[in-house]
């Protein structure tokens, strides 16, 4: 008796494939190339852990309310991975694809195209996806590391080049420096190694699940859930 | 063309039945008696709103992360209605049923039975379900109100009497006063009017959904989600 | 000691206010008018129960996987109340408001305005919010009942009149009859009694929570969760 | 500027650590040993994908209701990873630990200890955690593969030996063959390489998140959500 997954014998995959490889196999029906694996691992590591961000707090509070239902706490944490927090990678990826298409059509270079598009965003007062960070200024070390790795491995292509072009013009267009953040770097490096745009959203969700599980295990021994809630409630002086 | 729900023509129910009545019809296949309706409304009102408790904070943080997905924020809030927070009503109801059965079997009165059972909980260092409150001391005004209403309407029966018997002995058994809280009063008044024990858990969940929707509507105009999270994170001095 | 909710003593509300009234108090800071209460109850009853729709199945399957975590099953059910399923009431409400504003500005009547707007939707191949139903043809009895009640009670105003105007032109514009469904009737009757547009989304979520609790209680005695899943999986002949 | 995670510079981890390694670092504060990594990858691959099981259906239905809220669909799927479905690994792990402790105390061997404990489960009509499977009979190929890998790599220790001892006696104790399933093999191989018992529950949740993301991406192009629900509803002939 055998179990077949994506046309392969599951028994043969157990013990020969890493979890990262298997994720790509499930997602795309084929294992990753070496570059895809390298950058998928790099991106997952870059964004898994963020400290006590809101969705981690929501998860810890939920665990405090039912310590036996770990799945409920993880789900509460994942619900906090909404468009505002985690959808930016996909938005930035779409912006890159549109910019590259426009550049090719117009025959101009990255710099001119990026400036034109940045000005359009600026004019309609829309934020440029992947730019700006409350903490990491002037540089987001995770983003710079991902882009540097793309240069090192020789995988930097049109998407990384275009993202660098945006980075070069934003300070001028907005009149102040804006950090190229990790949500800009992820689509740039992943799209250049062939990862599909529509699968980008899955990267932060998988990464954060790993981090949530670690936080929730810690909460089992060192409960913060109700403490966090009490402290936050005091802050608004409610009741 | 007609739509039938629990053997009735839905069209006839619209405009003639309150939401509370319809909830009972869905749950039990028949509308409530007058006393059931009265106490179900009273209990739902008693426990719907609790201020910025942890699950409300989790819901607000989730809304902040995806303002378009109201359902995700409500779900995150409901996930925080776990056994620790909301399961006590059912536990207290089971304790009452067991106490009444033991009293009838033994031929003793409420006082003796309640003392015996309280001593057993005390001995195995278990909390007595429905007793104790961090804030409402020595009395929980919601609980006292529900029990007083049962007296006023003449519906107080074996469950309310037994709960009062527990209230009378706890201070002596534990060596300190313990508030009879709203999770003790709900099963007492509801079981005396014939509401089934297994449906008790639904009362706090429905009540809290109403309150969550109100909090989330407020958050739409006066967002607290990320503010709460920031403040709580500072409190533990993370990162 | 007292508990204050929206400026009122909670103890005084317990036993004097229905759950529907309290929901409005939490939502708006004041109790409903008689007409608001009447139509809120009517709408909640109209849409609470839909049989074994997808989100009810998701909830039952979730309960089967952890029978002790009722809150997780309810949350799974609420997650299925997304924009496609339940957001239509708000969309239809926005369409009504826009239509009434345009009518007043242009000085034309409901019929002309509704036809113009319907043609615009038709032209850009967008569905008209609140029109069409796979089952209820040519009439949705719940929608007709709600509109008839607005006539009976004399609350039908600009929103009901405009919705009727849309109903009168859709068959002509689309070249086939399209049912005015319950998601069109709810905003029409609620907006005419002064219920705020931004609170409309809460009505289906609260209603469905009541229905989910009833389904999940039934599943406790008559489990369908895994059976449903097995049958559905057979249907697509997976693995 | 640098970001520190578990005492390490995050920038140095990006591009040098796999996602599996980073998960262990977050969970335990140190990277995995080679054997831990090997078996964690093997277990994650073994249980990530199960076809159209109930929680995958719940996730697909939820996506159909709000295609923009991927996080809500993943959360609905994770909520279905409750104790019945995924808690067995931990239960089986606890049984193994208790059995090993009893063996050491009594001075008897695995065979005698396993038989004694199996008889105790049988007597109180409790299922033996990790034994039995509706489909995989007489052997679960994933479980056998994991145990064989433990033999091959020389990591099989007291937990694998004790699980094999249970496998050898169950048919005799229950009077019929019972498959040693993947939930028995996971704790056996993981506990033998030093993975902590309390972290076992996280393995299926992380694995299933990967699989859910793949199913949901597929559903984006080939929607099954509402189709599944319709078919299941027909099966029970509801409404």
């Amino acid at each position: 008796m055998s179990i077949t997954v994506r046309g392969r014998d599951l028994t043969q995959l157990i013990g020969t494939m890493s979890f990262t490889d298997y994720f790509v196999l499930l997602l795309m029906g084929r294992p990753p190339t070496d570059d895809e694996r390298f950058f998928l691992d790099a991106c997952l590591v870059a964004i898994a852990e963020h400290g006590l961000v809101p969705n981690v707090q929501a998860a810890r509070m939920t665990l405090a309310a039912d310590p036996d239902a770990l799945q409920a706490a993880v789900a509460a944490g994942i619900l906090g991975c909404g468009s505002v927090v985690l959808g930016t990678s996909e938005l930035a990826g779409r912006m890159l694809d549109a910019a590259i298409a426009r550049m090719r059509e117009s025959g101009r270079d990255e710099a001119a195209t990026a400036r034109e598009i940045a000005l359009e965003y600026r004019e309609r007062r829309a934020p440029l996806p992947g730019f700006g960070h409350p903490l990491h200024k002037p540089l987001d070390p995770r983003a710079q590391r991902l882009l540097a790795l793309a240069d090192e491995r020789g995988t930097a292509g049109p998407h990384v080049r275009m993202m660098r072009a945006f980075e070069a013009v934003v300070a001028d267009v907005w009149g102040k420096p804006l950090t190229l953040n990790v949500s800009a770097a992820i689509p740039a490096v992943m799209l250049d190694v062939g990862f599909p745009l529509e699968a980008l959203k899955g990267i932060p969700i998988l990464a954060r699940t790993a981090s949530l599980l670690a936080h929730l295990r810690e909460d089992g021994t060192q409960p913060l859930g109700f403490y966090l809630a009490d402290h936050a409630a005091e802050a608004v002086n409610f009741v």
Side-chain angles (χ1 to χ4, degrees), chain A residues 46-141:
Chain A
I47 55 164
E49 171 59 15
H50 282 66
L52 279 183
V53 287
N55 74 320
V56 169
Q57 295 186 38
R60 283 179 181 248
M61 291 171 186
T62 305
L63 189 69
D66 190 347
D68 289 332
L70 178 63
Q71 80 277 13
V74 174
I78 287 177
L79 288 174
C81 298
S83 53
V84 172
V85 178
L86 296 177
T88 317
S89 281
E90 195 186 334
L91 285 179
R94 290 195 192 287
M95 180 183 74
L96 284 182
D97 270 359
I100 292 168
R102 193 191 288 193
M103 174 182 73
R104 287 179 182 160
E105 221 169 286
S106 71
R108 283 178 300 161
D109 65 1
E110 277 93 358
T113 311
R115 176 174 299 273
E116 185 180 87
I117 291 177
L119 281 165
E120 291 167 11
Y121 273 83
R122 176 69 174 141
E123 198 148 295
R124 63 171 195 270
R125 293 165 183 281
L128 198 67
F131 284 87
H133 199 283
L135 228 69
H136 301 308
K137 294 176 192 170
L139 294 177
D140 178 338

Side-chain angles (χ1 to χ4, degrees), chain A residues 6-232:
Chain A
R6 299 286 187 271
R8 287 153 199 260
D9 178 358
L10 176 58
T11 318
Q12 295 312 312
L13 306 180
I14 299 172
T16 58
M17 228 182 196
S18 74
F19 181 50
T20 304
D21 283 11
Y22 191 59
F23 176 49
V24 174
L25 176 66
L26 291 176
L27 208 56
M28 312 216 233
R30 57 153 182 84
T33 63
D34 284 353
D35 285 331
E36 274 177 324
R37 174 190 311 113
F38 180 86
F39 282 103
L40 182 51
D41 273 328
C43 291
L44 288 166
V45 169
I47 55 164
E49 171 59 15
H50 282 66
L52 279 183
V53 287
N55 74 320
V56 169
Q57 295 186 38
R60 283 179 181 248
M61 291 171 186
T62 305
L63 189 69
D66 190 347
D68 289 332
L70 178 63
Q71 80 277 13
V74 174
I78 287 177
L79 288 174
C81 298
S83 53
V84 172
V85 178
L86 296 177
T88 317
S89 281
E90 195 186 334
L91 285 179
R94 290 195 192 287
M95 180 183 74
L96 284 182
D97 270 359
I100 292 168
R102 193 191 288 193
M103 174 182 73
R104 287 179 182 160
E105 221 169 286
S106 71
R108 283 178 300 161
D109 65 1
E110 277 93 358
T113 311
R115 176 174 299 273
E116 185 180 87
I117 291 177
L119 281 165
E120 291 167 11
Y121 273 83
R122 176 69 174 141
E123 198 148 295
R124 63 171 195 270
R125 293 165 183 281
L128 198 67
F131 284 87
H133 199 283
L135 228 69
H136 301 308
K137 294 176 192 170
L139 294 177
D140 178 338
R142 301 161 301 171
Q144 295 303 322
R145 171 73 170 158
L146 288 172
L147 295 174
L149 287 169
D151 291 335
E152 274 178 36
R153 285 183 71 95
T155 62
H159 297 89
V160 168
R161 278 199 303 274
M162 185 59 82
M163 199 50 101
R164 289 287 197 199
F166 276 106
E167 191 184 17
V169 302
V170 286
D172 192 41
V173 171
W174 265 266
K176 61 175 179 186
L178 278 178
T179 306
L180 182 162
N181 66 42
V182 73
S183 295
I186 289 174
V189 302
M190 293 306 296
L191 294 173
D192 270 349
V193 296
F195 199 78
L197 182 61
E198 317 82 57
L200 281 178
K201 251 189 191 167
I203 298 178
I205 292 184
L206 185 62
R208 291 292 183 93
T209 303
S211 159
L212 282 166
L213 287 166
H215 275 279
L216 292 169
R217 203 208 149 194
E218 186 186 274
D219 216 81
T221 51
Q222 187 186 335
L224 282 175
F226 283 144
Y227 174 77
L228 285 170
D230 281 357
H231 205 92

